[in-house]
Amino acid sequence: MKIGIVGNYGNDNNGDEAILLSIIKQVTSTFNIGSEQLTVFSNNPEQTAKRYGVSSFPLYYKNGNAVKTFIKTYRLNKEIVKTFDLLIIGGGGILMDLYKREAPLYGSYAMMAKNSNTPYVIYGCGAGPLLSGLGKWFIRYMCKHAESVSVRDPESAELLREIGVKEDVQIIGDPAFSLRQEGAKKSVAPTKIGITAVPYYNAGYWPEGNPAIYNDYVEGMAKNLDNLAARHDVELTFFATKFPQDADVTKDIQQKMTHKEKISIIDDNLLPDRILEVTAQQDIIIGTRLHSLILATCTETPIMAISYHHKVNDFMKLAELEAYAFPIGDIHKQDTLFLDAFNDMKENWPETMDNTKKLSQQLYDASMAGTKQFVDAVK
């Protein structure tokens, strides 16, 4: 059996790498096959092949302009896709057109599969934003010809319905929830806090830089963390899921803090297994990146979220934790957000831990149920 996987992989985003790791584990377990029978289309094929023991080819081939790139990628990779018994498109937030590339790129793989009579599934994806007519057309095409379609949250399913997708859309959560580590937490009271940040409106990373917005965000983070550190005996540990960009932001936040002595920064490129180790060592995660929240939940670690993107809000809503989700644009307006949430969690710590454990199990079960898509598609 030969199975292909396509998504935003090999891009040094360890949230996406956690998704890939989870899908590889799910597929090899479901079909009782080795990783050498898998092919991943990647932004960095050499790294992906070495890291996971799979075959890997370029996700796309740049060729002057978007149209020529589309044609060359289709021509070269269709020859590979037609050898598969199944193609998995997902997971991650790839059903969008914010960066213009995503919808045509992943849509081209649906075309390769359809025109090669290779069954394909859309698996555990996030949808949106979808703003252009072309982007919506590609997503409708992908869903129309797929053996099955699943997304990670109700909002994504609703958006697909709004743009005209008529096929059944399952909600299975993020595939990374299958990395759950049962019984990981045993803390009596919260003292260790893990934090992730993003380069919000930083000109070196964000599509449109804005120094004033970035500075407000960094100062807001620093003040909120200082208030928490001043009133509780806590250890604050920064870590990154997108390295080195996120680690650079944490250093800017640390510089603006008064209680620097309570801060440590893990200045390393942490792969998914290591991120799981880090989140398991914390009592609470204050996460900005979505997969810092997801992997924390996998280790039964309670979470607060800084919502920089609708996908973070969607996850916190799915988890019924909206009370612990703070809009990133408001961080600088109130400096007790983290403190108030921490006090609430600490006051009800046994209940907080119990609810987190139940959430972790629930999301794991939903993620694993999604593997039925693979089996049904190849029958």
Side-chain angles (χ1 to χ4, degrees):
M1 175 170 285
K2 296 184 68 175
I3 296 176
I5 303 169
V6 59
N8 186 35
Y9 306 125
N11 214 15
D12 286 326
N13 185 320
N14 286 312
D16 290 322
E17 295 304 299
I19 295 172
L20 178 56
L21 175 64
S22 66
I23 293 176
I24 289 172
K25 288 186 174 183
Q26 288 179 332
V27 170
T28 54
S29 174
T30 297
F31 294 110
N32 193 27
I33 59 176
S35 60
E36 68 278 359
Q37 293 175 258
L38 306 182
T39 296
V40 177
F41 296 98
S42 169
N43 290 285
N44 189 337
E46 183 178 350
Q47 179 195 77
T48 297
K50 182 178 179 180
R51 185 174 290 173
Y52 301 105
V54 297
S55 297
S56 188
F57 295 92
L59 178 64
Y60 64 97
Y61 295 86
K62 285 187 178 181
N63 193 29
N65 59 42
V67 174
K68 289 181 179 179
T69 295
F70 177 96
I71 293 171
K72 183 175 182 179
T73 300
Y74 181 92
R75 178 173 55 83
L76 293 177
N77 283 353
K78 184 189 175 201
E79 295 303 306
I80 303 167
V81 170
K82 72 180 183 181
T83 68
F84 297 153
D85 298 292
L86 173 68
L87 176 67
I88 299 167
I89 301 177
I94 62 175
L95 304 181
M96 68 169 177
D97 58 9
L98 178 63
Y99 298 106
K100 310 254 184 324
R101 180 192 82 165
E102 272 73 9
L105 174 61
Y106 298 113
S108 73
Y109 280 88
M111 291 179 176
M112 294 176 207
K114 179 181 180 296
N115 293 331
S116 303
N117 293 317
T118 298
Y120 72 91
V121 298
I122 298 171
Y123 187 63
C125 295
L130 282 167
L131 306 174
S132 68
L134 181 63
K136 293 174 184 177
W137 183 88
F138 269 109
I139 301 307
R140 285 195 297 269
Y141 179 94
M142 292 172 67
C143 295
K144 180 178 180 179
H145 299 288
E147 297 297 319
S148 62
V149 180
S150 65
V151 293
R152 63 189 180 192
D153 52 70
E155 289 74 16
S156 292
E158 178 59 30
L159 178 58
L160 293 183
R161 285 190 285 269
E162 288 176 2
I163 68 165
V165 171
K166 296 180 173 60
E167 291 68 35
D168 179 54
V169 178
Q170 303 173 50
I171 301 168
I172 65 168
D174 194 286
F177 287 118
S178 67
L179 300 176
R180 180 175 186 251
Q181 297 180 355
E182 188 173 1
K185 303 305 294 180
K186 296 188 175 79
S187 55
V188 177
T191 59
K192 296 182 178 181
I193 315 298
I195 308 127
T196 61
V198 297
Y200 185 62
Y201 278 92
N202 185 298
Y205 178 82
W206 215 252
E208 295 180 6
N210 187 315
I213 294 177
Y214 178 72
N215 189 62
D216 280 347
Y217 157 62
V218 169
E219 288 192 348
M221 288 287 290
K223 288 179 180 178
N224 270 277
L225 290 170
D226 264 333
N227 266 323
L228 178 57
R231 288 163 176 78
H232 291 280
D233 183 18
V234 292
E235 303 172 24
L236 306 176
T237 301
F238 282 107
F239 65 100
T241 65
K242 174 69 173 173
F243 186 84
Q245 293 87 347
D246 294 358
D248 293 339
V249 180
T250 65
K251 295 167 190 173
D252 290 343
I253 295 170
Q254 184 188 38
Q255 285 302 310
K256 291 184 178 290
M257 289 184 62
T258 301
H259 294 280
K260 295 182 177 66
E261 76 284 354
K262 291 192 174 183
I263 291 284
S264 62
I265 296 175
I266 302 176
D267 197 9
D268 292 316
N269 185 16
L270 304 178
L271 298 182
D273 284 342
R274 179 71 180 115
I275 296 173
L276 288 166
E277 290 179 13
V278 172
T279 60
Q281 292 164 0
Q282 310 305 312
D283 298 315
I284 295 172
I285 295 294
I286 303 173
T288 310
R289 292 282 188 186
L290 175 62
H291 280 85
S292 67
L293 300 167
I294 287 175
L295 295 180
T297 303
C298 285
T299 58
E300 301 179 358
T301 306
I303 56 174
M304 307 176 202
I306 304 159
S307 300
Y308 83 101
H309 190 285
H310 75 83
K311 63 187 177 183
V312 177
N313 279 327
D314 293 346
F315 168 59
M316 294 300 280
K317 184 177 180 181
L318 177 70
E320 299 183 356
L321 292 171
E322 299 102 310
Y324 296 134
F326 314 119
I328 196 167
D330 293 347
I331 290 292
H332 67 289
K333 298 176 183 178
Q334 184 178 345
D335 57 12
T336 62
L337 292 172
F338 301 162
L339 175 63
D340 293 342
F342 179 90
N343 287 341
D344 185 62
M345 285 185 175
K346 184 177 181 180
E347 183 178 351
N348 303 286
W349 190 241
E351 181 182 356
T352 297
M353 293 294 296
D354 186 54
N355 289 341
T356 303
K357 183 175 182 179
K358 289 177 181 177
L359 174 65
S360 181
Q361 182 68 57
Q362 171 191 334
L363 294 173
Y364 169 83
D365 290 343
S367 178
M368 292 305 295
T371 60
K372 186 175 183 294
Q373 283 184 263
F374 306 152
V375 178
D376 290 344
V378 298
K379 281 183 179 178

